[in-house]
Amino acid sequence: MIDIRDMEILNALSQHGHFQRAADACGISQPAFSTRLRKLEKKLGAPLVRRGNKYVGLTSEGEIALVWARRILQDAKGLRQDVAAARDGLTGRVT
């Protein structure tokens, strides 16, 4: 099963363009980050990242996965906001 954390990892790598900086942004070690990314690639059955001695970029499959990851992350954010609004009631200032 693919989870939201997998989507956060892929998105962070795209944003930071560097494995260590992306891992730091996700609050995990670089080896754990890389392991998680490889497991995601295995789950999807396709390489997502072009690798050399360093991060080179996303593959075409990785670009597709990134579009979905961002959509999923945005939906998850909306879900959290809607639940918070239902729990706490609407807040703000009407003008």
Side-chain angles (χ1 to χ4, degrees):
M1 167 90 36
I2 298 169
D3 62 31
I4 289 177
R5 187 67 169 152
D6 296 330
M7 304 295 97
E8 290 171 339
I9 285 171
L10 183 60
N11 189 53
L13 183 58
S14 173
Q15 288 180 334
H16 295 278
H18 188 272
F19 282 96
Q20 184 62 57
R21 287 191 295 266
D24 290 343
C26 291
I28 61 175
S29 69
Q30 187 275 322
F33 183 92
S34 294
T35 298
R36 187 104 190 207
L37 190 56
R38 286 191 190 280
K39 286 182 181 179
L40 176 59
E41 289 176 319
K42 187 174 180 179
K43 289 175 191 175
L44 293 175
L48 303 178
V49 178
R50 290 189 317 247
R51 294 173 175 88
N53 290 337
K54 58 182 181 175
Y55 173 74
V56 179
L58 296 176
T59 63
S60 59
E61 295 92 341
E63 292 290 344
I64 292 167
L66 180 61
V67 169
W68 279 94
R70 288 180 174 161
R71 186 179 306 155
I72 290 165
L73 292 171
Q74 190 62 36
D75 285 348
K77 180 180 177 182
L79 170 63
R80 286 189 296 271
Q81 290 172 343
D82 286 353
V83 169
R87 180 191 63 229
D88 301 334
L90 295 176
T91 61
R93 192 172 99 168
V94 177
T95 56

